[in-house]
Amino acid sequence: MRFLKQRNTRWSNTPSGGIMLGFIGAGAMGGAIVRGVIESGLYPASEIFVCGSSPERSIQIATQLGVTSAPTATDLVDAVGDDGIVVIAVKPYAVGSVLDSVRESAIAHNTVIVSVAAGTTLETLASHLTPDQPIIRTMPNVNAAIGQSMTALCAGPAVSQAQFVAVEDVFHAVGEITRITEKDFSTFSALAGCSPAFTFEYIDAMARAGVRNGIPKAQAVKIAAQAVLGSAQMVLVGLEQGLTPASLADSVQSPGGTTVAGVVALEEAGFSAAVVRGVQASVDRDVQMQS
């Protein structure tokens, strides 16, 4: 499902400069990124290649997305050519075998290998590739499907600044980006990768409260979701003005009013502590998965 979204203006429709882009695996996340880069004007469809689990699947995916298929992962790396960008968008358990299969072609073409696999470190990626291979670890989130992802990136030592910026532009096509150190990936995973599920649960709980008080569920969901969307935008605008989420919350709470009554009830129920515990549980699990 596609949604209307605000256009990104980072590149002002600057073309890709002849650098080809490929995706090994183009399911929900890979497909969302392909659509984003095409819609942004960063890449024309003619400069994007995809490879699926079989030649037949590759053709099917390419037809759906309007790009070019490659029968195998090695064929895709060869088609993308020298200094191209190849996004590995397969399940984490399959990353190693994919990288093993493209190892020789990737170093021959100086391909920038980009992983979107959760819990897959730069060290793990490098262990399947030649030492001088440019590799970048990224983590977009589910909101890439509507162009509103929050994506973190970190690069291996062989990545040039120009290569890093080119990959950042790819992910900026589906939302916002930030560079972080690799040690912070587990925390980022919880804050941006897991939190959409937390937020969906929060919106649904709000909507159930609306239903309890007589508002139909669909209408209550829309009301709650719009309120969350507007509040998030207020926080982002407030950051530019030096305002914190806490100060914005204070500004809504009139003495003796309805909002402060609700906030106090939430805190008495352990709201903030529960959120912190949820985030920490996700961080701990991500660390565990990498060990």
Side-chain angles (χ1 to χ4, degrees):
M1 181 181 294
R2 301 295 291 163
F3 296 83
L4 293 175
K5 63 180 182 181
Q6 185 175 354
R7 286 287 181 205
N8 244 308
T9 57
R10 173 169 169 157
W11 328 274
S12 300
N13 290 323
T14 300
S16 62
I19 298 174
M20 297 290 188
L21 178 63
F23 290 79
I24 300 176
M29 182 58 69
I33 300 170
V34 170
R35 294 184 185 95
V37 296
I38 294 173
E39 291 175 6
S40 73
L42 179 65
Y43 276 84
S46 61
E47 293 181 5
I48 301 175
F49 296 80
V50 297
C51 173
S53 56
S54 67
E56 294 76 18
R57 178 60 177 156
S58 298
I59 293 171
Q60 181 184 26
I61 295 170
T63 300
Q64 291 171 349
L65 297 173
V67 298
T68 304
S69 68
T72 68
T74 302
D75 291 330
L76 181 137
V77 173
D78 290 338
V80 168
D82 293 347
D83 302 312
I85 297 169
V86 172
V87 179
I88 310 299
V90 299
K91 298 295 185 183
Y93 70 83
V95 170
S97 61
V98 168
L99 294 180
D100 289 341
S101 72
V102 303
R103 175 186 172 101
E104 300 305 322
S105 293
I107 195 61
H109 291 293
N110 193 40
T111 306
V112 182
I113 298 293
V114 182
S115 170
V116 300
T120 306
T121 65
L122 288 173
E123 181 180 7
T124 298
L125 298 172
S127 70
H128 294 276
L129 297 165
T130 302
D132 293 333
Q133 191 74 53
I135 52 176
I136 296 177
R137 179 182 179 184
T138 74
M139 179 169 285
N141 71 13
V142 67
N143 298 328
I146 59 167
Q148 294 294 333
S149 178
M150 181 69 244
T151 301
L153 306 92
C154 69
V159 176
S160 70
Q161 177 66 12
Q163 289 170 327
F164 203 176
V165 170
V167 172
E168 284 183 319
D169 283 348
V170 170
F171 288 90
H172 204 257
V174 291
E176 295 299 322
I177 57 173
T178 186
R179 295 186 186 187
I180 63 174
T181 61
E182 189 168 31
K183 70 178 180 63
D184 292 327
F185 255 74
S186 291
T187 303
F188 178 87
S189 174
L191 293 178
C194 302
S195 66
F198 305 162
T199 306
F200 300 151
E201 291 283 354
Y202 170 68
I203 290 171
D204 191 62
M206 291 276 287
R208 287 198 303 273
V211 173
R212 181 181 184 184
N213 287 276
I215 296 178
K217 182 65 179 289
Q219 186 178 18
V221 168
K222 182 174 182 180
I223 292 168
Q226 179 59 42
V228 170
L229 173 63
S231 299
Q233 291 173 334
M234 282 281 288
V235 169
L236 294 175
V237 171
L239 284 175
E240 298 175 357
Q241 303 170 354
L243 300 174
T244 66
S247 64
L248 289 171
D250 287 343
S251 71
V252 187
Q253 298 176 63
S254 301
T258 57
T259 302
V260 70
V263 169
V264 168
L266 285 171
E267 290 306 317
E268 288 176 344
F271 180 73
S272 294
V275 172
V276 172
R277 288 180 63 183
V279 170
Q280 191 62 51
S282 294
V283 172
D284 294 343
R285 178 58 179 154
D286 191 79
V287 172
Q288 183 183 45
M289 290 172 62
Q290 296 181 54
S291 62

PDB file of all heavy atoms in Angstrom, residues 36-73:
ATOM      1  N   GLY A  36      11.169   4.459  -3.498  1.00  0.00           N
ATOM      2  CA  GLY A  36      11.547   5.779  -3.004  1.00  0.00           C
ATOM      3  C   GLY A  36      12.580   6.466  -3.868  1.00  0.00           C
ATOM      4  O   GLY A  36      12.461   7.666  -4.157  1.00  0.00           O
ATOM      5  N   VAL A  37      13.614   5.738  -4.289  1.00  0.00           N
ATOM      6  CA  VAL A  37      14.656   6.384  -5.084  1.00  0.00           C
ATOM      7  C   VAL A  37      14.149   6.761  -6.466  1.00  0.00           C
ATOM      8  O   VAL A  37      14.558   7.779  -7.038  1.00  0.00           O
ATOM      9  CB  VAL A  37      15.931   5.513  -5.176  1.00  0.00           C
ATOM     10  CG1 VAL A  37      16.559   5.328  -3.809  1.00  0.00           C
ATOM     11  CG2 VAL A  37      15.668   4.173  -5.824  1.00  0.00           C
ATOM     12  N   ILE A  38      13.221   5.962  -6.997  1.00  0.00           N
ATOM     13  CA  ILE A  38      12.651   6.315  -8.299  1.00  0.00           C
ATOM     14  C   ILE A  38      11.748   7.539  -8.168  1.00  0.00           C
ATOM     15  O   ILE A  38      11.843   8.494  -8.957  1.00  0.00           O
ATOM     16  CB  ILE A  38      11.870   5.120  -8.888  1.00  0.00           C
ATOM     17  CG1 ILE A  38      12.816   3.970  -9.218  1.00  0.00           C
ATOM     18  CG2 ILE A  38      11.104   5.553 -10.144  1.00  0.00           C
ATOM     19  CD1 ILE A  38      12.112   2.694  -9.657  1.00  0.00           C
ATOM     20  N   GLU A  39      10.865   7.530  -7.167  1.00  0.00           N
ATOM     21  CA  GLU A  39       9.924   8.641  -6.998  1.00  0.00           C
ATOM     22  C   GLU A  39      10.636   9.944  -6.662  1.00  0.00           C
ATOM     23  O   GLU A  39      10.170  11.031  -7.023  1.00  0.00           O
ATOM     24  CB  GLU A  39       8.916   8.297  -5.907  1.00  0.00           C
ATOM     25  CG  GLU A  39       7.950   7.176  -6.302  1.00  0.00           C
ATOM     26  CD  GLU A  39       7.027   6.776  -5.159  1.00  0.00           C
ATOM     27  OE1 GLU A  39       7.057   7.446  -4.103  1.00  0.00           O
ATOM     28  OE2 GLU A  39       6.279   5.792  -5.330  1.00  0.00           O
ATOM     29  N   SER A  40      11.767   9.861  -5.966  1.00  0.00           N
ATOM     30  CA  SER A  40      12.510  11.070  -5.601  1.00  0.00           C
ATOM     31  C   SER A  40      13.228  11.698  -6.786  1.00  0.00           C
ATOM     32  O   SER A  40      13.607  12.865  -6.747  1.00  0.00           O
ATOM     33  CB  SER A  40      13.549  10.736  -4.518  1.00  0.00           C
ATOM     34  OG  SER A  40      14.623   9.992  -5.078  1.00  0.00           O
ATOM     35  N   GLY A  41      13.438  10.919  -7.847  1.00  0.00           N
ATOM     36  CA  GLY A  41      14.201  11.395  -8.987  1.00  0.00           C
ATOM     37  C   GLY A  41      15.688  11.158  -8.851  1.00  0.00           C
ATOM     38  O   GLY A  41      16.458  11.524  -9.744  1.00  0.00           O
ATOM     39  N   LEU A  42      16.123  10.542  -7.760  1.00  0.00           N
ATOM     40  CA  LEU A  42      17.546  10.285  -7.552  1.00  0.00           C
ATOM     41  C   LEU A  42      18.074   9.288  -8.570  1.00  0.00           C
ATOM     42  O   LEU A  42      19.174   9.452  -9.097  1.00  0.00           O
ATOM     43  CB  LEU A  42      17.775   9.755  -6.132  1.00  0.00           C
ATOM     44  CG  LEU A  42      19.215   9.400  -5.757  1.00  0.00           C
ATOM     45  CD1 LEU A  42      20.086  10.646  -5.757  1.00  0.00           C
ATOM     46  CD2 LEU A  42      19.259   8.715  -4.395  1.00  0.00           C
ATOM     47  N   TYR A  43      17.317   8.247  -8.838  1.00  0.00           N
ATOM     48  CA  TYR A  43      17.685   7.227  -9.814  1.00  0.00           C
ATOM     49  C   TYR A  43      16.539   6.996 -10.781  1.00  0.00           C
ATOM     50  O   TYR A  43      15.395   6.840 -10.361  1.00  0.00           O
ATOM     51  CB  TYR A  43      17.970   5.892  -9.126  1.00  0.00           C
ATOM     52  CG  TYR A  43      19.359   5.733  -8.578  1.00  0.00           C
ATOM     53  CD1 TYR A  43      19.681   6.228  -7.322  1.00  0.00           C
ATOM     54  CD2 TYR A  43      20.365   5.101  -9.315  1.00  0.00           C
ATOM     55  CE1 TYR A  43      20.956   6.090  -6.803  1.00  0.00           C
ATOM     56  CE2 TYR A  43      21.638   4.956  -8.801  1.00  0.00           C
ATOM     57  CZ  TYR A  43      21.939   5.445  -7.548  1.00  0.00           C
ATOM     58  OH  TYR A  43      23.198   5.318  -7.041  1.00  0.00           O
ATOM     59  N   PRO A  44      16.846   6.919 -12.081  1.00  0.00           N
ATOM     60  CA  PRO A  44      15.824   6.432 -13.013  1.00  0.00           C
ATOM     61  C   PRO A  44      15.731   4.919 -12.900  1.00  0.00           C
ATOM     62  O   PRO A  44      16.699   4.246 -12.516  1.00  0.00           O
ATOM     63  CB  PRO A  44      16.379   6.852 -14.383  1.00  0.00           C
ATOM     64  CG  PRO A  44      17.862   6.887 -14.197  1.00  0.00           C
ATOM     65  CD  PRO A  44      18.098   7.321 -12.765  1.00  0.00           C
ATOM     66  N   ALA A  45      14.597   4.378 -13.242  1.00  0.00           N
ATOM     67  CA  ALA A  45      14.409   2.933 -13.152  1.00  0.00           C
ATOM     68  C   ALA A  45      15.431   2.176 -13.988  1.00  0.00           C
ATOM     69  O   ALA A  45      15.816   1.054 -13.645  1.00  0.00           O
ATOM     70  CB  ALA A  45      12.985   2.570 -13.590  1.00  0.00           C
ATOM     71  N   SER A  46      15.912   2.779 -15.068  1.00  0.00           N
ATOM     72  CA  SER A  46      16.866   2.113 -15.957  1.00  0.00           C
ATOM     73  C   SER A  46      18.224   1.878 -15.307  1.00  0.00           C
ATOM     74  O   SER A  46      19.034   1.100 -15.822  1.00  0.00           O
ATOM     75  CB  SER A  46      17.060   2.948 -17.229  1.00  0.00           C
ATOM     76  OG  SER A  46      17.575   4.231 -16.909  1.00  0.00           O
ATOM     77  N   GLU A  47      18.505   2.532 -14.177  1.00  0.00           N
ATOM     78  CA  GLU A  47      19.788   2.382 -13.498  1.00  0.00           C
ATOM     79  C   GLU A  47      19.676   1.540 -12.232  1.00  0.00           C
ATOM     80  O   GLU A  47      20.565   1.534 -11.390  1.00  0.00           O
ATOM     81  CB  GLU A  47      20.369   3.757 -13.157  1.00  0.00           C
ATOM     82  CG  GLU A  47      20.760   4.564 -14.384  1.00  0.00           C
ATOM     83  CD  GLU A  47      21.356   5.929 -14.041  1.00  0.00           C
ATOM     84  OE1 GLU A  47      21.545   6.202 -12.841  1.00  0.00           O
ATOM     85  OE2 GLU A  47      21.628   6.700 -14.974  1.00  0.00           O
ATOM     86  N   ILE A  48      18.562   0.815 -12.097  1.00  0.00           N
ATOM     87  CA  ILE A  48      18.339  -0.017 -10.911  1.00  0.00           C
ATOM     88  C   ILE A  48      18.121  -1.463 -11.336  1.00  0.00           C
ATOM     89  O   ILE A  48      17.352  -1.755 -12.254  1.00  0.00           O
ATOM     90  CB  ILE A  48      17.109   0.474 -10.116  1.00  0.00           C
ATOM     91  CG1 ILE A  48      17.307   1.930  -9.676  1.00  0.00           C
ATOM     92  CG2 ILE A  48      16.871  -0.413  -8.900  1.00  0.00           C
ATOM     93  CD1 ILE A  48      16.102   2.538  -8.998  1.00  0.00           C
ATOM     94  N   PHE A  49      18.819  -2.378 -10.652  1.00  0.00           N
ATOM     95  CA  PHE A  49      18.706  -3.809 -10.914  1.00  0.00           C
ATOM     96  C   PHE A  49      18.247  -4.520  -9.645  1.00  0.00           C
ATOM     97  O   PHE A  49      18.587  -4.112  -8.535  1.00  0.00           O
ATOM     98  CB  PHE A  49      20.059  -4.381 -11.354  1.00  0.00           C
ATOM     99  CG  PHE A  49      20.558  -3.835 -12.657  1.00  0.00           C
ATOM    100  CD1 PHE A  49      21.181  -2.594 -12.720  1.00  0.00           C
ATOM    101  CD2 PHE A  49      20.407  -4.556 -13.831  1.00  0.00           C
ATOM    102  CE1 PHE A  49      21.641  -2.075 -13.924  1.00  0.00           C
ATOM    103  CE2 PHE A  49      20.859  -4.051 -15.043  1.00  0.00           C
ATOM    104  CZ  PHE A  49      21.476  -2.810 -15.093  1.00  0.00           C
ATOM    105  N   VAL A  50      17.495  -5.609  -9.803  1.00  0.00           N
ATOM    106  CA  VAL A  50      17.076  -6.408  -8.652  1.00  0.00           C
ATOM    107  C   VAL A  50      17.326  -7.880  -8.938  1.00  0.00           C
ATOM    108  O   VAL A  50      17.303  -8.328 -10.090  1.00  0.00           O
ATOM    109  CB  VAL A  50      15.589  -6.198  -8.293  1.00  0.00           C
ATOM    110  CG1 VAL A  50      15.324  -4.763  -7.873  1.00  0.00           C
ATOM    111  CG2 VAL A  50      14.687  -6.614  -9.447  1.00  0.00           C
ATOM    112  N   CYS A  51      17.571  -8.608  -7.856  1.00  0.00           N
ATOM    113  CA  CYS A  51      17.757 -10.046  -7.940  1.00  0.00           C
ATOM    114  C   CYS A  51      16.996 -10.694  -6.804  1.00  0.00           C
ATOM    115  O   CYS A  51      17.152 -10.302  -5.639  1.00  0.00           O
ATOM    116  CB  CYS A  51      19.241 -10.393  -7.853  1.00  0.00           C
ATOM    117  SG  CYS A  51      19.577 -12.154  -7.757  1.00  0.00           S
ATOM    118  N   GLY A  52      16.170 -11.675  -7.117  1.00  0.00           N
ATOM    119  CA  GLY A  52      15.413 -12.391  -6.109  1.00  0.00           C
ATOM    120  C   GLY A  52      16.009 -13.750  -5.825  1.00  0.00           C
ATOM    121  O   GLY A  52      17.164 -14.031  -6.160  1.00  0.00           O
ATOM    122  N   SER A  53      15.221 -14.618  -5.233  1.00  0.00           N
ATOM    123  CA  SER A  53      15.702 -15.937  -4.823  1.00  0.00           C
ATOM    124  C   SER A  53      15.876 -16.898  -5.994  1.00  0.00           C
ATOM    125  O   SER A  53      16.492 -17.952  -5.854  1.00  0.00           O
ATOM    126  CB  SER A  53      14.732 -16.544  -3.803  1.00  0.00           C
ATOM    127  OG  SER A  53      13.410 -16.594  -4.344  1.00  0.00           O
ATOM    128  N   SER A  54      15.350 -16.550  -7.163  1.00  0.00           N
ATOM    129  CA  SER A  54      15.490 -17.367  -8.366  1.00  0.00           C
ATOM    130  C   SER A  54      15.369 -16.444  -9.573  1.00  0.00           C
ATOM    131  O   SER A  54      14.865 -15.317  -9.448  1.00  0.00           O
ATOM    132  CB  SER A  54      14.397 -18.436  -8.421  1.00  0.00           C
ATOM    133  OG  SER A  54      13.127 -17.833  -8.606  1.00  0.00           O
ATOM    134  N   PRO A  55      15.843 -16.884 -10.748  1.00  0.00           N
ATOM    135  CA  PRO A  55      15.673 -16.041 -11.940  1.00  0.00           C
ATOM    136  C   PRO A  55      14.221 -15.659 -12.200  1.00  0.00           C
ATOM    137  O   PRO A  55      13.929 -14.517 -12.597  1.00  0.00           O
ATOM    138  CB  PRO A  55      16.242 -16.928 -13.062  1.00  0.00           C
ATOM    139  CG  PRO A  55      17.246 -17.795 -12.380  1.00  0.00           C
ATOM    140  CD  PRO A  55      16.645 -18.083 -11.021  1.00  0.00           C
ATOM    141  N   GLU A  56      13.318 -16.618 -11.959  1.00  0.00           N
ATOM    142  CA  GLU A  56      11.893 -16.335 -12.172  1.00  0.00           C
ATOM    143  C   GLU A  56      11.398 -15.275 -11.203  1.00  0.00           C
ATOM    144  O   GLU A  56      10.641 -14.359 -11.579  1.00  0.00           O
ATOM    145  CB  GLU A  56      11.073 -17.616 -12.009  1.00  0.00           C
ATOM    146  CG  GLU A  56      11.337 -18.683 -13.051  1.00  0.00           C
ATOM    147  CD  GLU A  56      12.651 -19.433 -12.832  1.00  0.00           C
ATOM    148  OE1 GLU A  56      13.196 -19.368 -11.693  1.00  0.00           O
ATOM    149  OE2 GLU A  56      13.143 -20.052 -13.788  1.00  0.00           O
ATOM    150  N   ARG A  57      11.830 -15.390  -9.938  1.00  0.00           N
ATOM    151  CA  ARG A  57      11.435 -14.412  -8.937  1.00  0.00           C
ATOM    152  C   ARG A  57      12.032 -13.048  -9.264  1.00  0.00           C
ATOM    153  O   ARG A  57      11.392 -12.007  -9.049  1.00  0.00           O
ATOM    154  CB  ARG A  57      11.888 -14.885  -7.544  1.00  0.00           C
ATOM    155  CG  ARG A  57      11.573 -13.922  -6.407  1.00  0.00           C
ATOM    156  CD  ARG A  57      10.095 -13.653  -6.266  1.00  0.00           C
ATOM    157  NE  ARG A  57       9.823 -12.784  -5.127  1.00  0.00           N
ATOM    158  CZ  ARG A  57       8.745 -12.013  -5.010  1.00  0.00           C
ATOM    159  NH1 ARG A  57       7.826 -12.006  -5.978  1.00  0.00           N
ATOM    160  NH2 ARG A  57       8.568 -11.266  -3.941  1.00  0.00           N
ATOM    161  N   SER A  58      13.258 -13.019  -9.778  1.00  0.00           N
ATOM    162  CA  SER A  58      13.906 -11.760 -10.158  1.00  0.00           C
ATOM    163  C   SER A  58      13.083 -11.028 -11.217  1.00  0.00           C
ATOM    164  O   SER A  58      12.872  -9.816 -11.133  1.00  0.00           O
ATOM    165  CB  SER A  58      15.323 -12.025 -10.679  1.00  0.00           C
ATOM    166  OG  SER A  58      16.134 -12.615  -9.692  1.00  0.00           O
ATOM    167  N   ILE A  59      12.630 -11.784 -12.204  1.00  0.00           N
ATOM    168  CA  ILE A  59      11.822 -11.188 -13.278  1.00  0.00           C
ATOM    169  C   ILE A  59      10.506 -10.668 -12.717  1.00  0.00           C
ATOM    170  O   ILE A  59      10.049  -9.572 -13.070  1.00  0.00           O
ATOM    171  CB  ILE A  59      11.575 -12.220 -14.396  1.00  0.00           C
ATOM    172  CG1 ILE A  59      12.892 -12.555 -15.105  1.00  0.00           C
ATOM    173  CG2 ILE A  59      10.543 -11.693 -15.393  1.00  0.00           C
ATOM    174  CD1 ILE A  59      12.790 -13.716 -16.078  1.00  0.00           C
ATOM    175  N   GLN A  60       9.896 -11.447 -11.825  1.00  0.00           N
ATOM    176  CA  GLN A  60       8.621 -11.035 -11.234  1.00  0.00           C
ATOM    177  C   GLN A  60       8.766  -9.735 -10.454  1.00  0.00           C
ATOM    178  O   GLN A  60       7.969  -8.803 -10.604  1.00  0.00           O
ATOM    179  CB  GLN A  60       8.104 -12.146 -10.317  1.00  0.00           C
ATOM    180  CG  GLN A  60       6.771 -11.821  -9.659  1.00  0.00           C
ATOM    181  CD  GLN A  60       6.341 -12.895  -8.674  1.00  0.00           C
ATOM    182  OE1 GLN A  60       7.161 -13.611  -8.107  1.00  0.00           O
ATOM    183  NE2 GLN A  60       5.042 -13.016  -8.438  1.00  0.00           N
ATOM    184  N   ILE A  61       9.813  -9.652  -9.612  1.00  0.00           N
ATOM    185  CA  ILE A  61      10.044  -8.442  -8.803  1.00  0.00           C
ATOM    186  C   ILE A  61      10.338  -7.249  -9.706  1.00  0.00           C
ATOM    187  O   ILE A  61       9.796  -6.156  -9.516  1.00  0.00           O
ATOM    188  CB  ILE A  61      11.202  -8.667  -7.826  1.00  0.00           C
ATOM    189  CG1 ILE A  61      10.843  -9.741  -6.797  1.00  0.00           C
ATOM    190  CG2 ILE A  61      11.562  -7.361  -7.110  1.00  0.00           C
ATOM    191  CD1 ILE A  61      12.016 -10.176  -5.951  1.00  0.00           C
ATOM    192  N   ALA A  62      11.214  -7.462 -10.699  1.00  0.00           N
ATOM    193  CA  ALA A  62      11.593  -6.369 -11.591  1.00  0.00           C
ATOM    194  C   ALA A  62      10.390  -5.826 -12.352  1.00  0.00           C
ATOM    195  O   ALA A  62      10.253  -4.611 -12.540  1.00  0.00           O
ATOM    196  CB  ALA A  62      12.672  -6.844 -12.567  1.00  0.00           C
ATOM    197  N   THR A  63       9.518  -6.727 -12.770  1.00  0.00           N
ATOM    198  CA  THR A  63       8.308  -6.299 -13.489  1.00  0.00           C
ATOM    199  C   THR A  63       7.408  -5.474 -12.579  1.00  0.00           C
ATOM    200  O   THR A  63       6.865  -4.441 -12.997  1.00  0.00           O
ATOM    201  CB  THR A  63       7.550  -7.539 -14.008  1.00  0.00           C
ATOM    202  OG1 THR A  63       8.400  -8.280 -14.891  1.00  0.00           O
ATOM    203  CG2 THR A  63       6.285  -7.112 -14.746  1.00  0.00           C
ATOM    204  N   GLN A  64       7.257  -5.903 -11.336  1.00  0.00           N
ATOM    205  CA  GLN A  64       6.429  -5.170 -10.385  1.00  0.00           C
ATOM    206  C   GLN A  64       6.963  -3.766 -10.122  1.00  0.00           C
ATOM    207  O   GLN A  64       6.201  -2.804  -9.986  1.00  0.00           O
ATOM    208  CB  GLN A  64       6.345  -5.942  -9.070  1.00  0.00           C
ATOM    209  CG  GLN A  64       5.546  -7.232  -9.146  1.00  0.00           C
ATOM    210  CD  GLN A  64       5.658  -8.069  -7.882  1.00  0.00           C
ATOM    211  OE1 GLN A  64       6.491  -7.803  -7.017  1.00  0.00           O
ATOM    212  NE2 GLN A  64       4.817  -9.081  -7.771  1.00  0.00           N
ATOM    213  N   LEU A  65       8.290  -3.645 -10.047  1.00  0.00           N
ATOM    214  CA  LEU A  65       8.910  -2.365  -9.687  1.00  0.00           C
ATOM    215  C   LEU A  65       9.287  -1.518 -10.901  1.00  0.00           C
ATOM    216  O   LEU A  65       9.640  -0.350 -10.743  1.00  0.00           O
ATOM    217  CB  LEU A  65      10.162  -2.623  -8.842  1.00  0.00           C
ATOM    218  CG  LEU A  65       9.918  -3.303  -7.482  1.00  0.00           C
ATOM    219  CD1 LEU A  65      11.248  -3.665  -6.832  1.00  0.00           C
ATOM    220  CD2 LEU A  65       9.111  -2.389  -6.564  1.00  0.00           C
ATOM    221  N   GLY A  66       9.253  -2.106 -12.092  1.00  0.00           N
ATOM    222  CA  GLY A  66       9.594  -1.354 -13.291  1.00  0.00           C
ATOM    223  C   GLY A  66      11.083  -1.167 -13.482  1.00  0.00           C
ATOM    224  O   GLY A  66      11.519  -0.186 -14.107  1.00  0.00           O
ATOM    225  N   VAL A  67      11.894  -2.104 -12.963  1.00  0.00           N
ATOM    226  CA  VAL A  67      13.343  -2.015 -13.086  1.00  0.00           C
ATOM    227  C   VAL A  67      13.853  -3.235 -13.851  1.00  0.00           C
ATOM    228  O   VAL A  67      13.080  -3.970 -14.451  1.00  0.00           O
ATOM    229  CB  VAL A  67      14.003  -1.896 -11.689  1.00  0.00           C
ATOM    230  CG1 VAL A  67      13.541  -0.619 -11.000  1.00  0.00           C
ATOM    231  CG2 VAL A  67      13.682  -3.104 -10.818  1.00  0.00           C
ATOM    232  N   THR A  68      15.181  -3.447 -13.834  1.00  0.00           N
ATOM    233  CA  THR A  68      15.790  -4.534 -14.603  1.00  0.00           C
ATOM    234  C   THR A  68      16.144  -5.706 -13.696  1.00  0.00           C
ATOM    235  O   THR A  68      16.662  -5.500 -12.592  1.00  0.00           O
ATOM    236  CB  THR A  68      17.058  -4.037 -15.316  1.00  0.00           C
ATOM    237  OG1 THR A  68      16.731  -2.916 -16.138  1.00  0.00           O
ATOM    238  CG2 THR A  68      17.655  -5.134 -16.191  1.00  0.00           C
ATOM    239  N   SER A  69      15.903  -6.911 -14.152  1.00  0.00           N
ATOM    240  CA  SER A  69      16.206  -8.093 -13.353  1.00  0.00           C
ATOM    241  C   SER A  69      17.598  -8.616 -13.672  1.00  0.00           C
ATOM    242  O   SER A  69      18.124  -8.433 -14.774  1.00  0.00           O
ATOM    243  CB  SER A  69      15.175  -9.192 -13.611  1.00  0.00           C
ATOM    244  OG  SER A  69      15.297  -9.699 -14.925  1.00  0.00           O
ATOM    245  N   ALA A  70      18.196  -9.295 -12.673  1.00  0.00           N
ATOM    246  CA  ALA A  70      19.446 -10.022 -12.856  1.00  0.00           C
ATOM    247  C   ALA A  70      19.198 -11.451 -12.377  1.00  0.00           C
ATOM    248  O   ALA A  70      18.626 -11.639 -11.296  1.00  0.00           O
ATOM    249  CB  ALA A  70      20.573  -9.375 -12.070  1.00  0.00           C
ATOM    250  N   PRO A  71      19.607 -12.453 -13.125  1.00  0.00           N
ATOM    251  CA  PRO A  71      19.285 -13.842 -12.758  1.00  0.00           C
ATOM    252  C   PRO A  71      19.870 -14.276 -11.422  1.00  0.00           C
ATOM    253  O   PRO A  71      19.215 -14.985 -10.659  1.00  0.00           O
ATOM    254  CB  PRO A  71      19.885 -14.658 -13.908  1.00  0.00           C
ATOM    255  CG  PRO A  71      20.008 -13.706 -15.041  1.00  0.00           C
ATOM    256  CD  PRO A  71      20.285 -12.372 -14.425  1.00  0.00           C
ATOM    257  N   THR A  72      21.110 -13.863 -11.138  1.00  0.00           N
ATOM    258  CA  THR A  72      21.773 -14.270  -9.900  1.00  0.00           C
ATOM    259  C   THR A  72      22.406 -13.060  -9.231  1.00  0.00           C
ATOM    260  O   THR A  72      22.529 -11.984  -9.837  1.00  0.00           O
ATOM    261  CB  THR A  72      22.883 -15.300 -10.164  1.00  0.00           C
ATOM    262  OG1 THR A  72      23.959 -14.653 -10.879  1.00  0.00           O
ATOM    263  CG2 THR A  72      22.357 -16.480 -10.964  1.00  0.00           C
ATOM    264  N   ALA A  73      22.823 -13.246  -7.974  1.00  0.00           N
ATOM    265  CA  ALA A  73      23.466 -12.153  -7.240  1.00  0.00           C
ATOM    266  C   ALA A  73      24.753 -11.707  -7.928  1.00  0.00           C
ATOM    267  O   ALA A  73      25.044 -10.504  -8.027  1.00  0.00           O
ATOM    268  CB  ALA A  73      23.757 -12.594  -5.808  1.00  0.00           C
TER     269      ALA A  73
END
